[in-house]
Amino acid sequence: TAARLAAAGIPVAEVHAIFPGDLVWGKAKPLHSAQEMAAYLQRPGSTPCFGKPIFGSMCRGVVVIEAATGDGRLLLGDGREVEALTLASELIAAYGKGYMFQELLRASDSIRAISGPVLPVLRVYSLWISGDAQVVYAALRLPSPGAMSDDDAQPGCVRLLMDLATGSILRGHDMAKEY
């Protein structure tokens, strides 16, 4: 998706590091082990960042890392502190086929009042038909309070369906509620 967006001239978050190290992703730093991943995340300038599985969906496995605390621990976007090596080991165990760390994008001041500090995401849903992506619908997803991403399963995550022609909001609903 990122490659298609970039080719169309749409800005995408820059990928800074990638695991496993034999995957190539532009200028991303290759990481070969949990120790290398932990060391990278503690290095000055590596945080804040957004981590996510390369082969994932539905926000499973994403993490916001705000800062390294200087004692081998990391401050996460939800306020928890974790051991860097423990986090790296868990990410590799769960997502060893591919995991990336990219720049952390923040909500603008104008939208932060309704979205909170986590970036709301415009999701464009498409189907691959006859060799091309055909847009089915688009939605702005607002993360639930205290979340690190716009995960549908968390109570309070809201999906605002958009008119494809105008960008106007048609309707919205809490994705964790059954209707």
Side-chain angles (χ1 to χ4, degrees):
T1 303
R4 288 183 63 93
L5 292 172
I10 298 170
V12 295
E14 186 177 336
V15 177
H16 294 288
I18 192 162
F19 177 90
D22 59 343
L23 293 177
V24 177
W25 197 291
K27 297 177 183 176
K29 176 174 180 46
L31 304 172
H32 301 280
S33 67
Q35 291 77 12
E36 280 189 23
M37 185 182 288
Y40 167 79
L41 292 170
Q42 294 174 83
R43 187 174 308 130
S46 295
T47 58
C49 67
F50 183 76
K52 67 181 188 177
I54 294 172
F55 305 105
S57 65
M58 307 289 289
C59 298
R60 289 181 184 95
V62 303
V63 63
V64 172
I65 303 170
E66 292 287 355
T69 63
D71 59 355
R73 299 177 64 78
L74 301 169
L75 176 62
L76 303 185
D78 61 4
R80 291 181 294 150
E81 281 191 27
V82 298
E83 293 290 333
L85 185 56
T86 300
L87 177 65
S89 297
E90 289 175 0
L91 292 175
I92 290 171
Y95 307 103
K97 290 185 179 178
Y99 201 86
M100 69 171 63
F101 295 98
Q102 62 189 48
E103 70 179 300
L104 177 61
L105 303 176
R106 304 253 189 212
S108 68
D109 291 341
S110 60
I111 200 165
R112 194 173 299 208
I114 61 169
S115 73
V118 177
L119 183 71
V121 177
L122 177 63
R123 301 277 182 166
V124 178
Y125 299 83
S126 61
L127 293 174
W128 195 257
I129 301 172
S130 300
D132 197 17
Q134 302 295 316
V135 176
V136 178
Y137 69 94
L140 182 66
R141 290 177 25 162
L142 303 176
S144 60
M148 289 191 275
S149 70
D150 62 332
D151 180 1
D152 282 349
Q154 295 186 33
C157 179
V158 176
R159 181 181 296 178
L160 304 173
L161 297 176
M162 314 285 291
D163 182 295
L164 292 175
T166 67
S168 298
I169 296 172
L170 300 173
R171 64 185 174 279
H173 59 277
D174 183 333
M175 295 305 300
K177 291 184 179 178
E178 292 188 26
Y179 295 92

